Amino acid sequence: MSKTPLSTPFYVAKAIGAFDKTCVNVKFDNVVGGQKAFTKVMTGDVDFGTSSDSVIAFQSLANKGFVTHAMFVQSNNDVKFLSRSSEKVDSVFDLKGKKIGVIQGTASEYFVSILLALEGLTTEDVTLRYYKPEALINGFINNEVDAFVPWEPFAFNSTKQLRDKVKVHNTKNLNSLSFNLISLTADNLLVEKAKCIIQGLSIATDYIAGNQEESKQIVMRELNLSAAFIEWVWPDYIFKLALNQSLIFSVQSQAIWAVATQMSEFEKVSDVERFIDSRAMLQVIPNAVNVSQ
C-alpha cells in the first residue's frame, strides 16, 4: 500500500475494523509510491496493491498479467507543479529550456506533458530529470532542476521546507488521478478475496462520508501528518468506489501518450479492457460498475 492520504479508505478501514466485518484478514505492507506497490504485486510478495491509473497505463504496455478491481479515490489536484521563485515562471511557455524533475513512468511525468501541451510545447523543449519521489526536493535544493512535479505529501512538505524559494502553480483540474486496487490476473479465489476487501472499503468510504473529522485524525496518526497538511489536500479528494469508463479513458490516454512520445520501448497500446476485472465489484456494488468487458 502506497503511503499517501490517497490510501485513506484503507487506513480508515483498519482503524474502524471494517475488514474484520468481511471475509478476509488484511495485513499491510507500506511502501513509497504506487510503482513499488505494483512491483510487489507482480513479484507475488503481496496479493493486492494500490496503484495510480498512470502506473497501470504504463505497465499495461508490457502486457503484464495484472488486473484492476476498483477505483477507491480520485483527486484533481494531487500532482502539483512547483518552480523556483527566482526563475519567474509566470506561464507554461516560460518553461522552455528549463530543467524539470519528475518521477519516471508515473502521473508526474504524464502531468508535465499535459502542462507543456497547453502552450504547444513538448518534452523536447525542456530537460526532464528523473528522481525517486522522496528525492525530488533534493534535486531542486542542489540546483539540478528549475522546477519539479511531486505528488502529495511531497508537494506540501516541499512548500513548508522551501517556503518563498518555491512557487506553487495553480494546476487544479488539469489532470485527474485515481488510486486503484490491483492484483495479478485473478482466479476465482483471488476474486473472492478482492470482493472481501471491497466490502471493507465500502464500509470505510461510508464512514468517511459521515465522519470527516474523525477520518482526518485517523490518517494524521497513521502517516504522522500535520493538521495543516490534511486541510491542504482533503478538499481535492473524492472517496468513492467505482469501476467505470473514466478509468479506461484515463489509462488508454496515458498509454497512447507513452507510445507516441516514445517514453516506452513498446510500440502498440494494449486492449485496456483486459486489465479490468469487474467480477468483485459486481458482487458488492453493481451499480458502481460501468465498463464493457
Side-chain angles (χ1 to χ4, degrees), residues 35-227:
Q35 279 186 319
K36 290 185 178 179
F38 186 93
T39 298
K40 279 186 171 287
V41 168
M42 296 308 300
T43 57
D45 291 340
V46 297
D47 295 311
F48 297 94
T50 63
S51 182
S52 74
D53 48 353
S54 297
V55 173
I56 291 170
F58 302 142
Q59 295 295 339
S60 73
L61 294 171
N63 283 312
K64 293 182 178 179
F66 73 94
V67 292
T68 304
H69 297 280
M71 294 190 299
F72 54 85
V73 64
Q74 289 181 283
S75 171
N76 61 3
N77 199 30
D78 192 68
V79 180
K80 294 182 173 66
F81 182 77
L82 284 66
S83 68
R84 195 177 306 279
S85 299
S86 60
E87 291 292 331
K88 300 189 184 306
V89 176
D90 298 318
S91 71
V92 174
F93 197 76
D94 294 331
L95 295 175
K96 193 169 185 178
K98 303 295 185 185
K99 299 184 291 293
I100 304 174
V102 299
I103 304 116
Q104 187 175 22
T106 68
S108 169
E109 187 169 12
Y110 179 61
F111 182 88
V112 168
S113 73
I114 295 176
L115 191 65
L116 294 171
L118 292 175
E119 288 289 348
L121 301 179
T122 71
T123 51
E124 293 183 357
D125 295 303
V126 300
T127 299
L128 295 185
R129 293 195 171 168
Y130 299 122
Y131 297 87
K132 293 181 179 179
E134 61 273 23
L136 271 174
I137 188 172
N138 293 328
F140 184 85
I141 291 172
N142 296 331
N143 292 309
E144 297 167 0
V145 295
D146 306 304
F148 60 111
V149 184
W151 50 63
E152 298 297 356
F154 300 105
F156 176 83
N157 292 340
S158 297
T159 63
K160 293 305 174 186
Q161 183 174 340
L162 298 169
R163 297 184 181 275
D164 60 353
K165 294 180 181 179
V166 70
K167 175 181 178 180
V168 183
H169 295 261
N170 181 13
T171 54
K172 186 169 184 176
N173 294 319
L174 182 60
N175 182 48
S176 179
L177 174 147
S178 69
F179 246 42
N180 306 267
L181 179 70
I182 66 165
S183 76
L184 292 173
T185 301
D187 56 18
N188 290 336
L189 177 59
L190 203 52
V191 169
E192 183 66 19
K193 290 181 179 180
K195 183 193 78 172
C196 299
I197 291 176
I198 291 170
Q199 287 173 334
L201 292 176
S202 180
I203 294 170
T205 53
D206 286 345
Y207 180 89
I208 294 169
N211 302 273
Q212 295 275 328
E213 295 306 316
E214 292 85 350
S215 299
K216 292 177 185 177
Q217 292 296 322
I218 290 170
V219 181
M220 287 165 57
R221 289 194 300 270
E222 186 72 34
L223 296 178
N224 193 26
L225 300 173
S226 67

